[in-house]
């Protein structure tokens, strides 16, 4: 496709930085925006001499204009339990004011728009696997609600701009993703287990470890996001790996990959922790020709050096 100028919010984050890499590799000019509340400029250091990349430190909850753009990818938000527990009000603000501000930029310039939503919109699901037509089972006042409801509001805002302003919008519901640049201390399953295993610490499982997750390697996810951005689909699309793992199985897989002799210990299950999580990706397969290629074992092996470096630098 022709070269475009593309705005990426959350550009210094895990997913945002990988998306910037992909768009630049395709020949586009990228304006990366991040307020660095959870992002890290180290994720963009390799782009410091890239003439087609410009970084703007900016809080998107405040109105801003980075200049004319052809497309907006809105990935800005705390995304890990540790971060949105620490930044609860900010998470609500970025999901509401931040989303509306970036939608206004897209409307101003007639740009395309993709919003990064989440499988958390399904809450603790009563439908399994989760299909996009399922409305979810979310506690609107629980400790996770600052993230869940911010993302649900964002989806409503994106659809409103599509319906009322004719904006070319897209909604991706992202399931658990991992890989290099994932924050080592963000409290998510893969990063927790990898860091604990590499330090020789006990791997912490909450509950009995029978709850399930589906883990998508970052390159697969970015491929799905880019495909969706160029599609004609405006309703939400699940992008994630449909292979379901129990938390206990995941812990054992990480012990094998790292060669760690760490033990597994159990802690009480936190409130509103989803019992099962697995995407139905029929829609992504049908509309985008997309499905993940990287197995959990291969993805962990690809991520191992990054997590080793993270442990060494701490």
């Amino acid at each position: 496709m022709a070269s475009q100028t593309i705005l990426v919010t959350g550009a210094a984050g895990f997913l945002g930085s990988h998306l910037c890499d992909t768009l630049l590799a395709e020949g586009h000019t990228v304006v990366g925006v991040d307020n660095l509340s959870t992002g890290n400029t180290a994720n963009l250091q390799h782009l410091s001499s890239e003439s087609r990349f410009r970084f703007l430190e900016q809080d998107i909850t405040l109105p801003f204009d980075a200049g004319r753009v052809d497309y907006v990818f809105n990935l800005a938000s705390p995304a890990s339990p540790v971060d949105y527990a620490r930044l609860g009000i900010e998470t609500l603000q970025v999901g509401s004011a931040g989303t509306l501000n970036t939608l206004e930029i897209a409307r101003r310039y007639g740009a395309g728009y993709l919003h990064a939503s989440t499988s958390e919109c399904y809450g603790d699901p009563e439908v399994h696997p989760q299909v996009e037509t399922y409305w979810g089972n979310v506690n609107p006042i629980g400790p996770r609600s600052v993230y869940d409801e911010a993302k649900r509001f964002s989806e409503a805002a994106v659809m409103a701009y599509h319906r009322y302003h004719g904006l070319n919008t897209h909604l991706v519901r992202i399931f658990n993703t991992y890989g290099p640049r994932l924050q080592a201390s963000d409290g998510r399953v893969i990063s927790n287990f990898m860091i604990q295993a590499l330090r020789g610490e006990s791997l912490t499982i909450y509950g009995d470890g029978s709850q399930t997750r589906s883990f998508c390697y970052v390159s697969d996810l970015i491929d799905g996001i880019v495909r969706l951005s160029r599609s004609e689909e405006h309703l939400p699309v699940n992008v994630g790996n449909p292979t379901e793992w129990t938390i206990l199985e995941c812990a054992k897989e990480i012990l094998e990959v790292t060669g760690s002799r760490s033990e597994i210990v159990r802690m009480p299950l936190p409130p509103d922790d989803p019992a099962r999580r697995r995407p139905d990706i029929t829609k992504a397969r049908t509309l985008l020709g997309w499905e993940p290629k990287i197995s959990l074992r291969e993805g962990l092996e690809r991520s191992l050096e990054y997590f080793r470096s993270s442990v060494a630098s701490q």
Side-chain angles (χ1 to χ4, degrees), residues 20-33:
C20 289
D21 287 347
T22 296
L23 296 173
L24 289 165
E26 291 182 343
H28 303 295
T29 296
V30 176
V31 180
V33 172

Side-chain angles (χ1 to χ4, degrees), residues 144-276:
R144 302 169 73 102
S145 64
V146 292
Y147 183 66
D148 299 358
E149 296 297 354
K151 289 295 189 179
R152 286 159 69 93
F153 176 88
S154 293
E155 289 197 3
V158 171
M159 288 307 302
Y161 269 71
H162 171 67
R163 292 187 178 112
Y164 294 110
H165 297 305
L167 211 62
N168 178 26
T169 61
H170 307 278
L171 284 165
V172 57
R173 286 184 181 156
I174 297 170
F175 284 68
N176 291 59
T177 309
Y178 68 99
R181 302 181 201 162
L182 182 64
Q183 290 185 85
S185 59
D186 74 353
R188 284 185 266 196
V189 176
I190 297 291
S191 52
N192 270 5
F193 286 168
M194 290 289 273
I195 295 299
Q196 288 172 339
L198 290 168
R199 285 177 176 165
E201 300 171 352
S202 296
L203 271 61
T204 307
I205 285 182
Y206 297 94
D208 63 5
S210 63
Q211 65 270 43
T212 68
R213 297 292 183 270
S214 302
F215 302 105
C216 188
Y217 188 68
V218 62
S219 62
D220 283 333
L221 182 90
I222 296 300
D223 178 41
I225 286 176
V226 171
R227 289 181 188 228
L228 177 58
S229 73
R230 295 166 187 168
S231 76
E232 300 299 318
E233 181 59 36
H234 303 293
L235 296 174
V237 177
N238 291 336
V239 176
N241 195 314
T243 303
E244 192 173 6
W245 291 76
T246 70
I247 299 300
L248 183 59
E249 288 171 339
C250 177
K252 291 177 178 177
E253 191 80 354
I254 286 174
L255 289 176
E256 289 189 18
V257 168
T258 58
S260 172
R261 296 184 179 180
S262 295
E263 297 181 346
I264 294 173
V265 298
R266 290 171 170 78
M267 301 287 286
L269 195 66
D272 299 332
D273 190 58
R276 302 188 75 184

Side-chain angles (χ1 to χ4, degrees), residues 273-293:
D273 190 58
R276 302 188 75 184
R277 186 58 60 73
R278 175 189 164 202
D280 183 311
I281 63 167
T282 302
K283 196 172 181 180
R285 283 191 175 114
T286 303
L287 296 179
L288 311 179
W290 177 89
E291 61 183 349
K293 301 173 182 176

